[in-house]
């Protein structure tokens, strides 16, 4: 196929675009039910928080920096340091058409001291498996116990129109990639522990592959009901991380519009899954569906959603905070949320 430049690509799974401004101070709500850091309940599962089976330690709550490609390098380093200083256990990011995932992970790891850095959606069409194995080894050697690799099956327009590959059926392509990754000649050096990874997964088939072949899965932008299904599909032992889309503001009346726009951006590749969960007339984006996809309102409301995911079987919840300025790290909002969360 002849290509005449790089087209615009919309990859809904990677997170929604910027939405209308949420006026106010970022949501000081009283949050009295969960006042104080660590006040939110939820079972502490044996998998993720303590880094069992050689996994990096994630803690129970992290940040998904979905807009990090828009930060300048200096701002990216400052954002990583701020997330760590606020007490979060992990900093996640995606790979779409911006920075290369392993290079970005190195920047984030170099800017921090203890936090786990997770390339939550490393595109399997961006690197061959041997290169990925070598990069993972390099990061594991340089930053022992702090890097987590999450693999993503990409998106047809991104794989073909941007990267110039032929897109294959997702599960078959991922299985082949995992086979090649396992066979790559670059294993861990002494003292780094066995290599491991997880899959970015939404449907039951990919979740099953994650349980069969990897440490577990990360699920982005799905309701709490899906977290229960994902835990059942994975079984009791694999890691289940979920990423919650959220809009923070002083009250729900002022976050409802941006929340609906965020849900609309996330909808295209989740439609069938949402219908399976019992959401009818998905395209109408009723209030119940928007609330299921996007946690919005004050910090207490978002903390309650974290609690619900943990109760539903998640080991770890990362928060993708959508703001009116995707080019500016929401440092104050991350800090404000931290005071309400079980870090």
């Amino acid at each position: 196929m002849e290509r005449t430049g790089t087209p615009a690509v919309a990859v809904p799974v990677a997170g929604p675009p910027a939405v209308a401004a949420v006026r106010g101070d970022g949501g000081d709500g009283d949050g009295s039910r969960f006042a104080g850091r660590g006040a939110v309940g939820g079972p502490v599962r044996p998998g993720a928080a303590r880094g069992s089976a050689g996994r990096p330690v994630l803690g129970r709550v992290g940040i998904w920096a979905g807009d990090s490609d828009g930060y300048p390098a200096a701002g990216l380093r400052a954002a990583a340091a701020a997330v760590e200083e606020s007490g979060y256990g992990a900093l996640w990011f995606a790979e779409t058409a911006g920075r290369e995932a392993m290079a970005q992970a190195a920047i984030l790891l170099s800017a921090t001291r203890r936090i786990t850095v997770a390339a939550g959606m490393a595109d399997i069409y961006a690197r061959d498996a041997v290169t990925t194995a070598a990069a993972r080894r390099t990061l594991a050697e340089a930053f022992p116990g702090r890097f987590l690799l999450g693999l993503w099956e990409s998106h047809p327009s991104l794989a073909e129109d941007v990267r110039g590959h032929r897109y294959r059926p997702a599960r078959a392509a991922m299985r082949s990639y995992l086979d090649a990754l396992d066979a790559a000649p670059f294993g861990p050096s002494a003292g780094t522990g066995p290599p491991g990874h997880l899959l970015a997964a939404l449907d039951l088939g990919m979740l099953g592959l994650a349980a069969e072949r990897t440490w577990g899965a990360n699920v982005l932008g799905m309701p709490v009901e899906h977290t229960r299904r994902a835990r059942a599909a994975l079984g009791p032992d694999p890691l289940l991380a979920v990423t919650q889309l959220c809009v923070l503001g002083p009250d729900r009346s002022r976050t409802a519009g941006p929340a609906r726009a965020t849900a609309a951006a996330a909808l295209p590749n989740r439609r069938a899954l949402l219908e399976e969960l019992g959401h009818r007339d998905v395209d109408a984006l009723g209030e119940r569906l928007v609330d299921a996809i996007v946690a919005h309102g004050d910090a207490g409301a978002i903390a309650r959603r974290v609690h619900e995911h943990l109760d539903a079987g998640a080991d770890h919840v990362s928060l993708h905070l959508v703001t009116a300025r995707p080019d500016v790290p929401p440092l104050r909002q991350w800090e404000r949320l931290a005071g309400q969360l079980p870090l």
Side-chain angles (χ1 to χ4, degrees):
M1 182 189 324
E2 183 179 357
R3 306 188 191 280
T4 58
T6 301
V9 175
V11 188
V13 73
V19 297
V22 182
R23 296 180 59 85
D25 60 5
D28 277 327
D30 65 12
S32 57
R33 181 180 170 197
F34 302 112
R37 183 166 297 179
V40 176
V44 180
R45 298 185 55 82
R50 296 194 300 273
S52 62
R55 303 172 193 156
V57 176
L58 295 177
R60 291 206 286 174
V61 185
I63 290 295
W64 182 280
D67 297 315
S68 59
D69 280 343
Y71 308 159
L76 182 66
R77 289 190 289 268
V83 170
E84 181 173 69
E85 181 64 24
S86 293
Y88 293 99
L91 177 58
W92 300 72
F93 66 93
E95 179 180 40
T96 52
R99 291 189 180 93
E100 192 277 331
M102 301 305 190
Q104 175 142 292
I107 293 172
L108 296 170
L109 288 161
S110 297
T112 52
R113 299 184 304 276
R114 62 153 188 89
I115 198 170
T116 293
V117 170
M121 287 171 51
D123 189 340
I124 63 173
Y125 290 89
R127 289 160 299 278
D128 62 70
V130 173
T131 301
T132 295
R136 180 176 59 186
R137 176 191 179 190
T138 301
L139 293 173
E141 289 174 337
F143 306 96
R146 293 186 55 215
F147 176 64
L148 177 61
L149 174 66
L151 298 171
W152 176 46
E153 76 274 17
S154 195
H155 188 276
S157 60
L158 183 58
E160 296 189 352
D161 297 333
V162 174
R163 300 196 186 281
H165 299 288
R166 180 176 63 86
Y167 186 80
R168 298 175 55 202
R171 209 178 317 160
M174 184 62 76
R175 187 177 290 276
S176 295
Y177 197 87
L178 293 173
D179 289 342
L181 194 63
D182 290 346
F186 300 101
S189 64
T192 62
H197 38 268
L198 51 77
L199 301 186
L202 291 178
D203 64 78
L204 294 180
M206 196 64 78
L207 286 164
L209 182 60
E212 175 192 347
R213 298 290 301 274
T214 76
W215 279 341
N218 183 71
V219 176
L220 171 59
M222 290 295 288
V224 172
E225 308 98 279
H226 187 274
T227 298
R228 296 189 184 92
R229 295 185 71 190
R231 172 50 68 195
L234 289 172
D237 296 325
L239 167 67
L240 175 56
V242 300
T243 300
Q244 175 63 58
L245 302 171
C246 48
V247 179
L248 180 64
D251 59 69
R252 286 172 56 85
S253 67
R254 297 166 83 173
T255 57
R260 193 174 193 277
T262 299
L267 187 61
N269 61 337
R270 293 166 175 79
R271 183 177 286 102
L273 292 171
L274 292 167
E275 289 172 348
E276 289 175 10
L277 292 173
H279 293 278
R280 304 304 176 201
D281 196 13
V282 170
D283 290 317
L285 277 176
E287 183 178 353
R288 173 174 171 263
L289 178 57
V290 171
D291 287 351
I293 297 173
V294 183
H296 68 101
D298 63 21
I302 294 172
R304 285 190 287 274
R305 183 63 57 85
V306 170
H307 173 70
E308 291 166 2
H309 280 296
L310 294 172
D311 280 347
D315 295 301
H316 174 87
V317 181
S318 62
L319 300 176
H320 181 180
L321 185 62
V322 181
T323 70
R325 290 287 308 276
D327 59 323
V328 178
L331 305 182
R332 290 182 58 203
Q333 292 94 325
W334 287 341
E335 183 179 6
R336 184 170 291 111
L337 280 170
Q340 301 285 333
L341 296 167
L343 304 182

